[in-house]
Amino acid sequence: MALSAQQIPRWFNSVKLSSFITATQLRKHFPRPGKTLLHGFSAQPQMSSGNYFLQWGFKTYRTSSLWNSSQSTNSSRQEIGSAQGTLLPSMNEQIQKTENIPSFDSELSLEALDDLPPVSPLQPVSEEEAVQIIADPALPPDTYTLRDYVDHSETLQKLVLLGVDLSKIEKHPDAANLLLRLDFEKDIKQILMFLKDLGIEDNQLGTYLTKNYAIFSEDLENLKTRVAYLQSKNFSKAHIAQMVRNAPFLLSFSVERLDNRLGFFQKELELSVKKTRDLVIRLPRLLTGSLEPVKENMKVYRLELGFKRNEIQHMITKVPKMLTANKRKLTETFDYVHNVMSIPHHLIVRFPQVFNTRLFKVKERHLFLTYLGRAQYDPVKPNYISLDKLVSVPDEIFCEEIAKASVQDFEKFLKTL
């Protein structure tokens, strides 16, 4: 009788890889390919002219990785011999028999295929198999520019027209994902109208959005709530617009954080409500930046430089940047002005702008005045020179009114330093 579907896998197991016929031989024996039942097998019954032997064609495949041989060569030969003995010599009878052979589709389930061992990636691949391998598409490059998307994005095109600098925005890894997901009419237009109503001019929108493109991810109602909070603290609309321009991330902070910041400066610096409001209007970055530099500088003024609390209040209200200035710059400037130029604390408090001036400029002018014999900083003596005039006026006025010399003399002196 013919091989049953249950016997076929065992018959394949008994055949060694060296006895498999190649795909080329199959094409010679099978002019018409049969139905593919499994990876690598073709179940087309063929009749040879001699003994009408039923052959099962199969393509060259790494069959040894699918079925491991579990029987000896002798048993393999017995199986093949028994299979040949069951074949009938009559063509009609043979065809009738083969019609009764169940197909792999009905006998071999997909669950059985799951039990097959995986093909090892280290097994050699034939040339014929190699040409059939389809490689995965190449991954996109890790680096890109938003400029590549401008031609395909209406949102990016309109942002460029507003003056937004995409080359600066694309440096932030999350910027591209945010902007490319936004719809200009639905997501962006309402934010632009809000900023214009707030007081941001058309020619200022590009600069603002370049710095704070993340405002498009904010809820419009939250933005309006934060503006309403500032107005409730007696910040005028003009002052709010000024603060937003100078501190672009101001409206990205919650009402709770804004309230905590205002409370911190009022309590820490012991300022009145009005002076606290004036302080943050002049330097709104105090509401958005880190508080650590502020706390550190307050300690420096009190403990290292020896200023009193009321002196600190006076200086920071006149020069708010002193709260966030570099600690090293503060100490070096104070050391030179106080210890080299012999200017006492109370005069420094009257002219705190010296802390906001480059130290080399203070040194150059002081050395030039010393060279001319005019370095006199005591207000009770004649020819008094205030720190304000020393550091704030341009070179022409400094030479003419304070040093009583020409600009050429000053430049010539600087070459000797």
Side-chain angles (χ1 to χ4, degrees):
M1 67 179 192
L3 289 173
S4 66
Q6 291 84 353
Q7 290 175 316
I8 292 172
R10 187 168 69 253
W11 183 75
F12 283 136
N13 285 339
S14 65
V15 182
K16 293 185 177 179
L17 184 60
S18 60
S19 65
F20 287 174
I21 62 176
T22 64
T24 303
Q25 292 172 321
L26 282 174
R27 285 193 291 269
K28 293 179 179 180
H29 288 287
F30 302 102
R32 275 179 25 184
K35 179 180 179 182
T36 301
L37 301 178
L38 286 173
H39 289 294
F41 296 96
S42 176
Q44 174 74 29
Q46 299 292 326
M47 305 303 169
S48 65
S49 58
N51 57 7
Y52 305 107
F53 180 72
L54 175 64
Q55 295 181 344
W56 288 82
F58 49 87
K59 301 176 184 178
T60 302
Y61 198 71
R62 288 191 288 275
T63 313
S64 58
S65 64
L66 302 179
W67 287 286
N68 295 321
S69 298
S70 60
Q71 298 183 7
S72 64
T73 304
N74 292 334
S75 62
S76 300
R77 292 173 180 172
Q78 292 174 358
E79 288 288 345
I80 297 173
S82 62
Q84 291 175 341
T86 59
L87 298 176
L88 299 178
S90 171
M91 173 65 76
N92 295 333
E93 293 178 2
Q94 180 62 42
I95 295 176
Q96 182 180 3
K97 291 293 183 179
T98 57
E99 290 176 351
N100 296 328
I101 296 178
S103 67
F104 280 3
D105 293 333
S106 61
E107 294 296 329
L108 296 179
S109 64
L110 294 177
E111 288 78 4
L113 296 179
D114 293 336
D115 297 332
L116 298 178
V119 178
S120 172
L122 300 180
Q123 291 185 0
V125 179
S126 67
E127 182 177 353
E128 183 176 347
E129 292 173 324
V131 298
Q132 299 177 3
I133 296 176
I134 301 177
D136 294 331
L139 294 174
D142 292 335
T143 59
Y144 58 88
T145 61
L146 285 175
R147 180 178 57 189
D148 300 333
Y149 296 89
V150 171
D151 293 338
H152 310 285
S153 171
E154 179 187 5
T155 297
L156 293 182
Q157 292 172 8
K158 292 186 176 181
L159 289 177
V160 170
L161 292 177
L162 287 172
V164 177
D165 190 343
L166 298 182
S167 65
K168 293 182 179 179
I169 291 181
E170 67 190 14
K171 296 178 182 179
H172 303 276
D174 58 335
N177 291 332
L178 172 63
L179 296 181
L180 292 174
R181 289 199 308 265
L182 297 177
D183 179 83
F184 187 87
E185 295 294 329
K186 179 181 177 182
D187 304 314
I188 294 182
K189 190 174 182 179
Q190 59 180 355
I191 301 296
L192 295 179
M193 297 303 297
F194 165 78
L195 293 175
K196 286 177 62 67
D197 292 341
L198 189 62
I200 307 298
E201 302 295 336
D202 291 346
N203 59 354
Q204 298 170 337
L205 285 173
T207 301
Y208 177 84
L209 296 175
T210 299
K211 295 179 180 179
N212 187 21
Y213 61 88
I215 194 172
F216 294 128
S217 63
E218 296 284 348
D219 182 76
L220 182 59
E221 293 303 319
N222 289 339
L223 296 176
K224 293 180 178 179
T225 300
R226 293 159 193 171
V227 172
Y229 166 78
L230 293 175
Q231 291 175 334
S232 71
K233 297 299 180 180
N234 294 325
F235 289 92
S236 67
K237 185 176 180 180
H239 285 153
I240 295 175
Q242 175 185 332
M243 294 167 64
V244 170
R245 283 193 298 267
N246 295 333
F249 297 99
L250 178 65
L251 295 181
S252 297
F253 292 98
S254 66
V255 169
E256 290 76 13
R257 173 162 180 169
L258 295 175
D259 188 67
N260 289 337
R261 285 299 178 91
L262 289 173
F264 168 82
F265 288 110
Q266 182 176 355
K267 180 180 179 180
E268 182 71 15
L269 305 178
E270 298 181 359
L271 299 175
S272 64
V273 174
K274 182 180 183 304
K275 287 187 175 181
T276 303
R277 182 169 56 248
D278 293 341
L279 178 69
V280 298
I281 288 175
R282 296 180 62 187
L283 191 64
R285 288 187 291 108
L286 293 174
L287 298 178
T288 61
S290 172
L291 291 178
E292 292 306 315
V294 176
K295 295 177 181 178
E296 183 67 21
N297 285 350
M298 292 296 294
K299 293 180 181 179
V300 170
Y301 293 131
R302 287 197 300 262
L303 304 179
E304 297 185 27
L305 306 186
F307 289 101
K308 300 176 182 179
R309 181 173 291 274
N310 63 326
E311 293 177 332
I312 298 174
Q313 291 176 344
H314 177 79
M315 290 190 296
I316 62 175
T317 54
K318 295 189 70 173
V319 186
K321 287 184 178 180
M322 289 180 61
L323 286 172
T324 58
N326 180 270
K327 175 183 175 181
R328 180 178 176 181
K329 178 185 177 182
L330 291 176
T331 55
E332 288 181 349
T333 300
F334 176 82
D335 179 68
Y336 190 84
V337 172
H338 182 66
N339 298 321
V340 177
M341 299 173 62
S342 302
I343 299 179
H345 281 76
H346 70 277
L347 290 181
I348 297 176
V349 172
R350 290 176 60 185
F351 305 105
Q353 292 86 352
V354 69
F355 288 107
N356 202 31
T357 306
R358 294 179 180 178
L359 181 56
F360 76 87
K361 183 178 182 179
V362 177
K363 289 182 177 180
E364 289 176 350
R365 294 188 174 186
H366 169 69
L367 292 176
F368 185 57
L369 292 175
T370 302
Y371 172 75
L372 297 175
R374 303 183 63 86
Q376 208 288 94
Y377 308 113
D378 189 346
V380 300
K381 295 180 180 180
N383 300 320
Y384 164 67
I385 299 175
S386 68
L387 279 178
D388 183 31
K389 290 184 178 180
L390 179 69
V391 301
S392 61
V393 297
D395 286 345
E396 292 78 6
I397 298 178
F398 166 76
C399 293
E400 181 180 351
E401 298 182 3
I402 300 175
K404 308 299 181 180
S406 66
V407 176
Q408 291 76 15
D409 291 338
F410 182 49
E411 294 175 348
K412 184 177 180 180
F413 171 79
L414 294 180
K415 294 178 180 180
T416 65
L417 297 179

